[in-house]
Amino acid sequence: MPDRYRTQLINSLSGFKSANLIGTIDENNQTNLAIMSSVVHLGASPALIGLITRPPSVERHTLENIKQLKQYTINHVNHNIWQSAHQTSARYNKAECEFNQTGLIPEYLGDTKAPFVKESYLKYALNLREIIDICSNNTVMIVGEISDIYCQASAIKSDGYIDIESLNTIAISGLDSYHTSQRLSRLSYAKSEQLTQLLSIDGKLKETEST
Amino acid sequence: MPDRYRTQLINSLSGFKSANLIGTIDENNQTNLAIMSSVVHLGASPALIGLITRPPSVERHTLENIKQLKQYTINHVNHNIWQSAHQTSARYNKAECEFNQTGLIPEYLGDTKAPFVKESYLKYALNLREIIDICSNNTVMIVGEISDIYCQASAIKSDGYIDIESLNTIAISGLDSYHTSQRLSRLSYAKSEQLTQLLSIDGKLKETEST
């Protein structure tokens, strides 16, 4: 298989991926913003998020900045900013800020030094917890603990579920395909003695039972 | 925050997640099938996929089986099987096979001992490469190398991109919300000196330039 074909093919296999912008800053207050599709939930208590990045020798600024400040932000990419978000993956020099280059607006919230993305409707700050080497291909997983969450209140439902579809959060497939979503339903917690039931957006049982 | 609220909230933060069924078998030919939303692309060459699971003390069958046979399958969840797929998360005894309980059909392909899901349109076999401890919360990442891919040929585009939307692959948000997708566009490889351009599904430049 030619290299580029293989890259497209293998990148398509994991299924739909999250679309997030990672905001960082270095000791000289130089900011960086990078789109990533490898943000993954690790656990709720403590609230941990994983992020796969390329080897330290290849990855340029995000990992370096996180190592320096031990802090970063994750910002959902939405329908209004998906093209600007994709543009952050271009190889800019360290002195060229992706915010300036793409028109996305940096925002500073609370005690977090790392920049958020103003246009994002769901964003949170993390403190670095662990950097784990993945020996099989020399990539790393950055593990961070969530410290602050900023989200439009109306999107947070009574049981804690956040309706990210209402925030127009985007999904990615492969390397470069962007998708909006349409909810089929929420489903009740699966039990061995009972078939799954459809839930409303608020996590309440719907009247019709599903199979 | 109450525990269940916290779990719903934090699980919503990573963005859209992949929906996959993990097929395994143990030394006594007892099969297991489990839906997981934490499958993540690690690299194309070698072709590596990561999968986050709960600690060995809590996770029951998938990790145990993978350790025994060093092999497993990943099967995209599609529009036809999303409710049965969700039902696999119920706590069945080891002797109760999720295939029997949910009606999903096991399929054996090539030299792979682990079962595939017949109803899935995109599925692949993996050999275990590494099990990595995530010390921050005692979870693990299973790293596997892809050995065989089974996919409807029409979904594979000329540049290697797989149109998983045409296969009706589903995305997950939070713990229990299932979503279909609608493509905005593919985008050209981002370059610092040029704005991103829209691509057709085949990865060819569209005529209109985007901003």
Side-chain angles (χ1 to χ4, degrees):
Chain A
M1 262 192 267
D3 270 4
R4 290 178 71 165
Y5 185 95
R6 182 187 180 96
T7 304
Q8 285 286 356
L9 187 82
I10 304 299
N11 265 281
S12 303
L13 292 180
S14 54
F16 285 103
K17 301 187 256 197
S18 56
N20 287 290
L21 285 160
I22 314 301
T24 58
I25 191 165
D26 72 8
E27 292 164 339
N28 303 315
N29 290 325
Q30 174 67 50
T31 58
N32 190 268
L33 191 66
I35 190 167
M36 303 239 179
S37 63
S38 65
V39 165
V40 61
H41 172 82
L42 296 181
S45 187
L48 297 179
I49 295 280
L51 171 64
I52 312 292
T53 74
R54 295 181 183 193
S57 58
V58 174
E59 209 281 337
R60 294 149 300 143
H61 308 137
T62 301
L63 181 58
E64 207 174 300
N65 290 356
I66 292 175
K67 280 181 174 173
Q68 279 184 25
L69 272 278
K70 319 271 187 226
Q71 202 189 57
Y72 51 111
T73 72
I74 295 184
N75 307 264
H76 276 212
V77 173
N78 62 45
H79 195 169
N80 298 326
I81 58 170
W82 61 288
Q83 293 186 56
S84 307
H86 182 78
Q87 185 65 30
T88 64
S89 62
R91 286 178 183 268
Y92 295 112
N93 295 327
K94 191 155 168 53
E96 292 177 309
C97 171
E98 285 82 4
F99 283 107
N100 290 339
Q101 299 294 329
T102 63
L104 293 166
I105 302 171
E107 183 179 38
Y108 295 91
L109 299 171
D111 295 331
T112 306
K113 283 183 204 137
F116 291 89
V117 176
K118 191 175 173 60
E119 295 89 343
S120 176
Y121 303 129
L122 173 50
K123 46 203 166 191
Y124 45 103
L126 302 101
N127 294 312
L128 176 63
R129 282 285 294 262
E130 260 190 282
I131 294 179
I132 300 174
D133 293 322
I134 302 169
C135 300
S136 299
N137 69 346
N138 199 28
T139 53
V140 302
M141 182 161 70
I142 301 168
V143 178
E145 182 168 355
I146 296 168
S147 60
D148 300 276
I149 302 171
Y150 299 92
C151 179
Q152 219 171 277
S154 60
I156 306 177
K157 300 303 162 189
S158 54
D159 68 343
Y161 171 75
I162 304 178
D163 182 4
I164 64 173
E165 188 165 281
S166 75
L167 300 175
N168 293 318
T169 294
I170 295 300
I172 296 179
S173 73
L175 281 172
D176 54 27
S177 185
Y178 292 82
H179 307 255
T180 59
S181 68
Q182 180 145 24
R183 180 175 291 101
L184 289 163
S185 183
R186 293 184 63 185
L187 292 179
S188 62
Y189 188 81
K191 293 178 182 171
S192 58
E193 71 281 7
Q194 189 184 26
L195 287 177
T196 294
Q197 294 176 285
L198 301 179
L199 298 183
S200 72
I201 184 74
D202 289 308
K204 307 276 197 306
L205 278 182
K206 284 186 189 168
E207 286 181 16
T208 318
E209 198 170 30
S210 73
T211 49
Chain B
M1 262 191 266
D3 270 3
R4 291 179 69 165
Y5 186 95
R6 183 187 179 95
T7 304
Q8 285 286 357
L9 186 83
I10 303 299
N11 264 280
S12 304
L13 292 180
S14 55
F16 285 103
K17 302 188 256 197
S18 56
N20 287 290
L21 284 161
I22 314 301
T24 58
I25 191 165
D26 72 7
E27 291 164 340
N28 303 315
N29 290 324
Q30 175 66 51
T31 58
N32 189 268
L33 191 65
I35 191 166
M36 303 240 177
S37 63
S38 64
V39 165
V40 61
H41 172 84
L42 295 181
S45 186
L48 298 179
I49 295 282
L51 172 62
I52 312 293
T53 74
R54 295 181 183 193
S57 56
V58 174
E59 209 282 337
R60 294 147 302 142
H61 308 139
T62 301
L63 181 58
E64 208 173 298
N65 290 356
I66 292 175
K67 280 180 174 173
Q68 278 184 25
L69 271 278
K70 319 274 187 224
Q71 200 188 58
Y72 52 110
T73 72
I74 296 184
N75 308 264
H76 276 213
V77 174
N78 62 46
H79 195 169
N80 298 325
I81 58 171
W82 62 288
Q83 293 185 56
S84 307
H86 183 78
Q87 185 65 30
T88 64
S89 62
R91 286 177 182 268
Y92 295 112
N93 295 327
K94 190 155 167 54
E96 292 178 309
C97 172
E98 286 81 4
F99 283 107
N100 291 339
Q101 299 294 330
T102 62
L104 293 166
I105 302 171
E107 182 178 39
Y108 295 91
L109 298 171
D111 295 331
T112 305
K113 283 184 205 139
F116 291 90
V117 176
K118 191 175 172 59
E119 294 89 342
S120 175
Y121 303 130
L122 174 49
K123 44 202 166 193
Y124 46 101
L126 302 101
N127 294 311
L128 176 63
R129 282 286 294 263
E130 261 189 281
I131 294 180
I132 301 174
D133 294 321
I134 302 169
C135 301
S136 299
N137 69 345
N138 198 29
T139 54
V140 303
M141 181 160 70
I142 301 168
V143 178
E145 183 167 354
I146 297 168
S147 60
D148 299 277
I149 302 170
Y150 299 92
C151 179
Q152 217 171 280
S154 61
I156 306 177
K157 300 302 163 189
S158 54
D159 68 343
Y161 171 74
I162 304 177
D163 182 4
I164 64 173
E165 188 165 281
S166 75
L167 300 175
N168 293 319
T169 296
I170 295 300
I172 297 178
S173 72
L175 282 172
D176 54 25
S177 185
Y178 292 81
H179 306 255
T180 59
S181 69
Q182 180 144 25
R183 179 174 290 102
L184 289 164
S185 183
R186 294 184 62 186
L187 292 179
S188 62
Y189 188 83
K191 294 178 181 170
S192 59
E193 71 281 6
Q194 190 183 24
L195 286 177
T196 293
Q197 293 177 284
L198 301 178
L199 298 183
S200 71
I201 184 73
D202 290 307
K204 307 278 195 304
L205 278 182
K206 284 186 189 169
E207 286 183 15
T208 318
E209 197 171 31
S210 73
T211 48

